[in-house]
Amino acid sequence: MEDYLDEYQRVMEKEEPIMFAVSLLPCSRLWVWLANQLNIGYGNAYWTWKKNNMDGHPEKHFKDLLNKYLKNENDVKHAKEIFRTQMQNELNFFKASVQQ
């Protein structure tokens, strides 16, 4: 969790603002996937969360923004590095949460 939050902090302090949006994308995409994987129904404590997240399309919300500000190949390459780092942090966070 510390690495996860530290990367957000680093991006906010040292990167262009668009890179913070890039760093949020893995989480927003993961929520849609998780919501669609949950086998729960109405009455479950997480039903509202599932309902609000299962039909999302975060790529639609981010696409225009990313296309506007990631203007060259180096920007895109750097954005992919940040995206991959946060994806790995997401994985590590979930792995740590299920370890005994």
Side-chain angles (χ1 to χ4, degrees):
M1 182 62 147
E2 186 175 352
D3 290 341
Y4 183 70
L5 295 175
D6 285 349
E7 179 63 7
Y8 278 130
Q9 187 72 34
R10 186 197 70 74
V11 170
M12 284 190 293
E13 292 176 354
K14 299 187 179 190
E15 302 285 352
E16 293 295 319
I18 187 61
M19 295 304 174
F20 188 66
V22 169
S23 71
L24 294 171
L25 188 54
C27 184
S28 64
R29 292 189 73 170
L30 181 62
W31 280 25
V32 173
W33 183 84
L34 285 172
N36 285 299
Q37 300 307 305
L38 285 175
N39 188 17
I40 60 173
Y42 184 78
N44 184 288
Y46 291 99
W47 171 249
T48 302
W49 181 89
K50 175 182 173 156
K51 184 178 174 210
N52 290 336
N53 288 284
M54 60 192 261
D55 295 322
H57 298 281
E59 63 279 357
K60 289 180 181 179
H61 302 293
F62 283 87
K63 185 177 181 177
D64 290 340
L65 181 69
L66 296 176
N67 286 339
K68 180 177 179 180
Y69 290 100
L70 300 177
K71 297 193 181 268
N72 62 56
E73 193 174 311
N74 285 335
D75 290 343
V76 172
K77 181 180 176 188
H78 189 56
K80 286 180 180 179
E81 291 168 356
I82 290 171
F83 179 86
R84 287 183 187 118
T85 297
Q86 285 303 76
M87 282 297 285
Q88 185 63 52
N89 286 335
E90 292 281 350
L91 175 63
N92 294 344
F93 172 74
F94 279 97
K95 279 183 174 180
S97 70
V98 295
Q99 290 177 349
Q100 302 290 335

